[in-house]
Amino acid sequence: MTSTRWLAEYAWLPERAAPTPEVLIETVNGRITAVTPLSPGGPPDAGVDVLADAVRLPGLTLPGLANAHSHAFHRALRGHTHGGRGDFWSWRDQMYAVTARLNPDSYLALARAVYAEMALAGITCVGEFHYLHHGAGGTPYDDPNAMSAALVEAAAHAGIRLTLLDTCYLTATVDGQPLTGSQLRFGDGDALRWADRVSAFTPDGRHARLGAAIHSVRAVPAEQLATVAGWAHRRDAPLHVHLSEQPAENDACRAVHGRTPTGLLADHGVLGPATTAVHATHPTSGDVGLLGESRTGVCLCPTTERDLADGIGPARRMADAGIPLSLGSDSHAVIDPFEEARAVELDERLRTRKRGHFAPAELLHAASAAGHAALGWTDAGRIAVGGRADLVTVRLDSVRTAGVAPAGVWFAAGAADVTQVVVDGRVLVRDGHHLTVDVPQELADAIAEVAP
Ligand SMILES: [Zn+2]
């Protein structure tokens, strides 16, 4: 039995508007067994001696943060695509060039480094929206799930949990044009063959679980959407889908199907509480209604949406419609949950020219419990008895955070202020360093192998 007592200078407990000072958190075998605020009035019984063996956590301790939308290999594009003009579609061509260099070995090395970078930022769980399934020209590897296995192993090495969202990707356009060139590696032919391949895969390790994804209404024909949704529903697995990131997708979908992408997904049984729509940057009012009524979640990826000139999603309107919001770093132009979370509020300010749309506790919820729930880990993301012992400690004495009220970290801190990360009761990051991965070196080496 592994049992630890942690004494947090501040801890952000569920349903609290702000952090609580002096909280004793007890964990046994990776679970939280007791949460005791010590002030006012000091320790509950025997005083200072009770705390003699406690591990001090100076600063603010948060629950584990969840990155609900990742394409690990996009990290190789950071800093390589910012010189020219263009838009989402020209960026996508550069992204495709990276895929040509990836195989199970180089994917493992890159993803391991990227997931370790996430760990340093306080991310204890990632949702990998994975569509790079096959070898050159679309030829399956000897193990057709070799790329999936590489991602699962990468997360194990990096020490974080993973939901592998195995993505069905069949066509190039809403009107069903076939995959060509780089896209051939994404395709399984049809949704039934996608389901057969995925069903044969069991992630190796308790840190990983399997979910499904529909790449988008561009990539899965309407009559095959229900096959993917049915696979996820039968397994009670999370189902994710890129949705309305670009107005062009909406226009094409209306032209072909006479429906918005959200309407099309609703028609085919894709929406629901286990479904997460990624982006939802350009929904109509009717779309927001459909998402809210079905309790479909939305994963916002603000740093990617700004990097790719996508636009600003109606975050407050969606939250008010009952849509659970989570966060993802998607293309990894930035991996920083604090930047991602504050962008939700700050983007609303730019749009409305008013402040104060999201309370700090709402930003925390999106970055932690809501993200974990969107990935199927409903017992994580809260510092509460019975929950997974994920603890992310942020220093309050850095050049960025000195003098900041603890609740203000969402507007002041960055990933570099994370000092310690505990996942399932195990210390993964200490003093800002990953204990098993030399993250900058491994990133540099892995990206040198595959960069365009
Ligand atoms: Zn994406």
Side-chain angles (χ1 to χ4, degrees), residues 152 155 160-164 203-210 377:
V152 170
I160 67 174
R161 289 192 300 276
L162 170 113
T163 297
L164 187 84
D204 185 12
R206 294 174 62 191
H207 70 293
R209 68 192 324 143
L210 194 54
W377 303 88

Side-chain angles (χ1 to χ4, degrees), residues 263-281:
L264 191 68
L265 296 180
D267 290 349
H268 292 276
V270 175
L271 304 185
T275 299
T276 297
V278 180
H279 301 300
T281 310

Side-chain angles (χ1 to χ4, degrees), residues 113-177:
V114 174
Y115 294 157
E117 180 183 356
M118 291 183 194
L120 288 175
I123 291 162
T124 56
C125 183
V126 61
E128 180 68 27
F129 197 107
H130 166 55
Y131 53 81
L132 188 50
H133 301 304
H134 302 300
T139 306
Y141 291 105
D142 291 343
D143 170 5
N145 289 301
M147 295 294 259
S148 301
L151 292 165
V152 170
E153 188 178 350
H157 291 180
I160 67 174
R161 289 192 300 276
L162 170 113
T163 297
L164 187 84
L165 299 160
D166 194 300
T167 304
C168 186
Y169 197 133
L170 305 173
T171 53
T173 57
V174 177
D175 62 359
Q177 293 297 309

Side-chain angles (χ1 to χ4, degrees), residues 8 11 49 51 61 105 110 135 268 278 284 318 348 351 412 419 434 444:
D49 289 342
L51 306 176
T61 295
D105 291 335
L110 177 58
H268 292 276
V278 180
T284 64
M318 293 196 287
E348 287 283 9
R351 191 217 323 265
T419 50
H434 198 287

Side-chain angles (χ1 to χ4, degrees), residues 69-71 74 88 91 129 131 215 242 245 278-279 301 304 330-331:
H69 189 66
S70 161
H71 308 283
H74 291 192
F88 170 87
W91 170 87
F129 197 107
Y131 53 81
H215 179 275
H242 287 133
E245 181 176 7
V278 180
H279 301 300
C301 308
T304 292
D330 189 4
S331 70

